Amino acid sequence: MNERGLGYGGTIAREGALDRVPVTFVPVVKAARARITETFGRTRLHSAYLYGSIPRGTATPGVSDLDLQLALHDEPSEADRADARAIEAVLDCAFPQIDGVGILLTSKRRLLSDAEHYDGGFFIACLCTPLLGPDLAEQLPRFRPTALLARETNGDLARVLPYWRATAAEATTDADRRTLSRLVGRRIVRTGFTLIMPRWGGWTSDLDQSAELFGRYYPERVEQMRVAASIGRAPSPDPAVLGMLINDLGPWLAAEYTAVHGEKAPRP
């Protein structure tokens, strides 16, 4: 991998690996593997993956969360979702070195579908680290930092903003607002980065680097993007900060994204 996150032939290199997991988080990963195996087994689970700062080796104890993607043989059911929530709760309580656990559930069919080629497929092939089962990346092509990839990964911000506003309005506790602010901050920064990704010609998932690269092209918005990066790492319950992201930076970014790359294709 070069300094722009590219590997052989200029394609985006897979960014994580199990041998990059910091020692502090090794017991967390081991417990996650055991819980997933025990709960889902081979009948429901095709494969499981880590993603985020832990497999990239950049996680901070007590601040970083544990992110997992499960590829199921069939479409996720309510029972699957309930089991995933139970695993999230158990791991979060058991390990103080993580601040939250998030498990994504997606069927193998969907991840390999044409519709998800530049979204879920790219996510598995480049941003996920195999933890259990056969690696779906072996059935996917290599990806480049193109405008098409930008559109299909984050070209739907405008569709998400109304949901964020409704969720913020319904939030009644600091914990609720922190959870939302982390989600919003990360999504805003990643959208800001993929907006400029084809021009920069590379890939990074680092929030701070993403914000600074964005600032090279949009200096008038870089301070707001730095706030988004900070909130993505260490969430805040401050309604003013969340309001800035949802009602100012977010709408501007969504409009600029559509103008530059177009809108993400609707999913079935």
Side-chain angles (χ1 to χ4, degrees):
M1 183 188 301
N2 66 19
E3 70 280 359
R4 297 203 177 198
L6 302 180
Y8 177 76
T11 56
I12 298 172
R14 199 171 216 169
E15 61 181 16
L18 291 180
D19 60 10
R20 296 180 195 166
V21 174
V23 173
T24 304
F25 294 95
V26 168
V28 183
V29 173
K30 182 178 179 181
R33 182 189 284 112
R35 286 280 176 179
I36 292 167
T37 301
E38 177 185 341
T39 303
F40 286 90
R42 294 183 178 180
T43 57
R44 287 191 286 171
L45 182 73
H46 174 272
S47 49
Y49 306 82
L50 293 172
Y51 68 97
S53 61
I54 290 179
R56 293 199 306 268
T58 60
T60 302
V63 174
S64 298
D65 57 349
L66 174 67
D67 296 310
L68 295 154
Q69 165 77 64
L70 305 191
L72 304 182
H73 289 294
D74 301 310
E75 294 301 320
S77 65
E78 286 306 313
D80 293 328
R81 294 186 180 93
D83 285 342
R85 289 193 295 270
I87 294 172
E88 290 172 346
V90 167
L91 294 175
D92 195 23
C93 288
F95 296 99
Q97 56 267 57
I98 54 173
D99 180 19
V101 180
I103 298 177
L104 300 178
L105 300 176
T106 316
S107 69
K108 171 189 172 184
R109 180 197 61 79
R110 181 176 177 184
L111 289 169
L112 294 178
S113 68
D114 289 343
E116 290 293 327
H117 185 83
Y118 288 97
D119 192 2
F122 165 72
F123 179 65
I124 287 290
C126 297
L127 308 186
C128 285
T129 297
L131 181 65
L132 285 165
D135 183 7
L136 286 176
E138 294 177 1
Q139 301 180 53
L140 293 161
R142 297 183 180 274
F143 295 86
R144 298 177 183 275
T146 63
L148 176 59
L149 180 63
R151 188 186 76 207
E152 292 304 307
T153 51
N154 288 302
D156 59 348
L157 182 61
R159 302 174 204 168
V160 178
L161 288 170
Y163 169 75
W164 285 349
R165 293 190 187 103
T167 304
E170 295 169 1
T172 57
T173 67
D174 283 352
D176 291 338
R177 284 183 283 271
R178 274 193 291 267
T179 298
L180 180 60
S181 70
R182 170 179 268 168
L183 170 68
V184 171
R186 291 180 177 184
R187 179 65 183 276
I188 290 283
V189 175
R190 287 167 183 159
T191 302
F193 168 71
T194 50
L195 171 62
I196 60 90
M197 172 189 66
R199 283 176 275 180
W200 183 60
W203 179 269
T204 181
S205 288
D206 182 88
L207 295 177
D208 289 331
Q209 184 183 19
S210 295
E212 296 308 313
L213 290 170
F214 167 86
R216 294 183 187 179
Y217 302 87
Y218 297 95
E220 71 280 6
R221 292 280 182 171
V222 69
E223 290 304 326
Q224 289 181 317
M225 195 60 75
R226 286 169 177 157
V227 171
S230 175
I231 295 305
R233 291 192 317 276
S236 167
D238 187 349
V241 174
L242 194 55
M244 180 274 287
L245 297 178
I246 294 175
N247 299 314
D248 185 2
L249 181 57
W252 171 85
L253 183 57
E256 182 69 7
Y257 211 97
T258 299
V260 174
H261 297 304
E263 293 187 6
K264 183 176 183 175
R267 298 295 189 261

